[in-house]
Amino acid sequence: MDFSFSEEQQMIRDMARKFAEEEVRKHAAERDEKEEFPTEEVKKLAELGFMGMMVPEKYGGAGLDTVSYVLAMEEISRADASVGVIMSVNNSLVTWGINEYGSEEQKEKYLKPLAAGEMLGCFALSEPEAGSDATNQNTVAVRDAEHYILNGTKNWITNGATANVALVIAATDRSKGHKGISAFIVERDTPGYSIGKKEKKLGIRSSDTVSIAFEDCKIPAANLIGEEGLGFKFAMKTLDGGRIGIAAQALGIAQASLDASLKYSQERKAFGVYISEHQAIQFKLADMATNIQAARLLTLEAAIAKDQGQPYAKKAAMAKLYSSKIAVEAALEAIQIHGGYGYIKEYNVERYLRDSKITEIYEGTSEIQRIVIARNLLKT
Ligand code: CAA
């Protein structure tokens, strides 16, 4: 596998790094503290073309590949993982899904503004009783002439408080199990669509996470994605790509933990020398760097497979499983290297730990990634 980057991919990475360093990092700690949505930063991400990176140019997107997306996601998340997840949901879950499965009319009406950053999207699959067990949908959509009537509640919806549209997964025929699940584009202004209170979270605190309730929401039948019964596969395929994005987000957090550790260990003295001269610290730095590189290669491998039209569900699950694990470990080691200073907010590493944990949970927990990997191993 060729891991070298094209000129365009390098340019995207450099552009993302510059923007992240100059504009995203600046107020990241403050936004985290205040739980403040990064409105200006998301607007600028859209100007750079980063909110619809893989959307074809004819729908107003940047027309880039998954490798470019991964490179940009790592850089943005290295500065602020909250900004990373907002970007990731709009790119890999919302715009990718509409571009891949939506009708021409849906692409004109929703994909174009979503790719341009004029709209923000969220992905509403999880429910109070359907997290890992995604087939267990209690949200129901009933056909009524040229509409569907939607009822139910979705939980833990990233971007949910800000999003103009939601991709909603709902049962259209509960007797058919996963084959009776469908996907819809639902506008936030639809009567009966109500947004719950913002969740108080451990990490990624400047991204918003809410529940969304639907009470007799009347949705045009034209907003059904594909056909009835496609919803579960739509969600699974979309999440396969989403997991590559979250792997890249985790990588960004891990890299930020290493960056901070390298800097601090060459500034802080103990026993008369910089702590970087102690082998105890050197071993930690070496392990962090090795794990990060392994995670990066797994993530790129999944992205390359997706770009080449090869199967990538297993590769994406491996990338997310490993990257999220080493992100938590790297953040913990960064705190250990910083000692007491790591436990307070000044050096940001405690934020990296708080932000890293969610990467082992959303878009499929680590346990779910293992199920996906094992099932793929056993069927070959
Ligand atoms: N691609 C295409 N089809 C797939 C698929 C995939 N990746 N995975 C499963 N399917 C198909 C299967 O082939 C099967 O179809 P057939 O019956 O036609 O053969 C059907 O879907 C059902 O599959 P399973 O029997 O494997 O279904 P399951 O009930 O055992 O569930 C699971 C499988 C992997 C556990 C799945 O439920 C899952 O991934 N759960 C986790 C859900 C998740 O990731 N949630 C994240 C929420 S979104 C989020 O976090 C976003 C955010 O805000 C950041």
Side-chain angles (χ1 to χ4, degrees):
M1 191 158 267
D2 180 9
F3 288 112
S4 59
F5 302 128
S6 68
E7 261 181 46
E8 184 180 58
Q9 289 164 343
Q10 289 178 49
M11 194 192 78
I12 295 296
R13 185 196 53 202
D14 295 347
M15 204 163 98
R17 186 172 292 171
K18 187 169 185 295
F19 173 66
E21 286 309 311
E22 290 176 4
E23 308 206 34
V24 178
R25 183 180 297 282
K26 208 164 36 181
H27 300 299
E30 193 184 328
R31 284 192 300 270
D32 168 71
E33 186 71 22
K34 294 184 180 162
E35 301 180 315
E36 192 177 275
F37 190 84
T39 309
E40 277 310 304
E41 288 73 12
V42 172
K43 211 170 125 204
K44 287 180 187 159
L45 277 178
E47 286 164 14
L48 292 173
F50 284 3
M51 293 304 275
M53 291 189 77
M54 294 169 285
V55 174
E57 288 175 26
K58 74 169 177 167
Y59 298 117
L64 294 164
D65 57 11
T66 316
V67 169
S68 302
Y69 168 57
V70 159
L71 295 174
M73 266 299 295
E74 181 184 337
E75 294 302 332
I76 301 296
S77 304
R78 186 176 177 185
D80 186 350
S82 290
V83 178
V85 73
I86 296 163
M87 172 177 154
S88 162
V89 167
N90 206 65
N91 274 281
S92 36
L93 300 188
V94 180
T95 54
W96 188 85
I98 301 177
N99 184 54
E100 202 67 16
Y101 294 96
S103 65
E104 208 46 47
E105 186 191 334
Q106 290 167 352
K107 290 181 189 177
E108 284 296 323
K109 190 168 175 191
Y110 299 110
L111 186 58
K112 280 187 171 177
L114 282 164
E118 292 155 11
M119 275 187 176
L120 185 71
C122 64
F123 186 79
L125 168 68
S126 302
E127 296 188 356
E129 289 172 30
S132 293
D133 185 6
T135 49
N136 188 33
Q137 292 291 313
N138 278 313
T139 298
V140 174
V142 178
R143 181 86 191 226
D144 177 19
E146 284 313 298
H147 289 88
Y148 283 89
I149 309 298
L150 185 67
N151 279 287
T153 303
K154 296 292 178 181
N155 263 25
W156 310 292
I157 307 303
T158 309
N159 290 353
T162 322
N164 313 81
V165 289
L167 297 195
V168 180
I169 310 299
T172 37
D173 185 347
R174 297 198 67 194
S175 69
K176 289 188 182 159
H178 73 264
K179 290 193 165 72
I181 291 173
S182 305
F184 300 89
I185 304 174
V186 184
E187 294 184 22
R188 171 204 179 102
D189 296 338
T190 313
Y193 183 124
S194 60
I195 297 165
K197 67 169 177 37
K198 243 171 86 171
E199 301 291 358
K200 302 287 266 179
K201 294 177 297 190
L202 175 71
I204 55 159
R205 284 159 48 99
S206 68
S207 74
D208 62 55
T209 305
V210 294
S211 60
I212 303 179
F214 307 103
E215 205 183 328
D216 291 331
C217 268
K218 206 170 164 184
I219 311 154
N223 283 22
L224 171 71
I225 299 178
E227 68 270 15
E228 272 193 27
L230 176 78
F232 190 70
K233 283 195 180 173
F234 166 83
M236 291 300 110
K237 290 290 281 184
T238 304
L239 282 165
D240 286 340
R243 289 164 185 167
I244 301 176
I246 299 305
Q249 182 200 25
L251 256 178
I253 300 168
Q255 185 61 51
S257 301
L258 176 61
D259 296 340
S261 302
L262 285 170
K263 183 167 186 295
Y264 183 78
S265 63
Q266 293 174 89
E267 288 168 2
R268 168 80 172 171
K269 283 187 169 174
F271 304 102
V273 293
Y274 290 112
I275 62 170
S276 60
E277 290 174 43
H278 295 299
Q279 219 174 40
I281 301 296
Q282 290 176 359
F283 283 6
K284 288 185 191 301
L285 296 172
D287 284 346
M288 284 161 90
T290 307
N291 292 343
I292 290 169
Q293 189 59 8
R296 189 174 285 125
L297 295 180
L298 275 177
T299 307
L300 285 170
E301 191 193 8
I304 292 168
K306 181 164 177 276
D307 286 336
Q308 292 181 349
Q310 295 167 13
Y312 58 92
K314 183 181 75 179
K315 289 183 163 68
M318 285 177 162
K320 181 179 180 291
L321 175 65
Y322 189 70
S323 301
S324 59
K325 174 178 173 288
I326 66 102
V328 174
E329 288 171 3
L332 274 169
E333 287 294 49
I335 292 178
Q336 194 66 18
I337 290 169
H338 284 71
Y341 288 107
Y343 203 68
I344 59 173
K345 291 199 179 271
E346 196 177 335
Y347 286 85
N348 289 314
V349 287
E350 61 81 41
R351 171 163 59 92
Y352 301 155
L353 178 64
R354 289 187 290 104
D355 286 352
S356 67
K357 184 59 201 170
I358 191 62
T359 65
E360 292 189 308
I361 298 173
Y362 58 22
E363 301 204 20
T365 60
S366 296
E367 292 73 15
I368 291 292
Q369 306 312 321
R370 289 186 174 94
I371 289 175
V372 172
I373 296 163
R375 284 186 183 174
N376 272 279
L377 290 174
L378 293 167
K379 80 179 176 197
T380 51

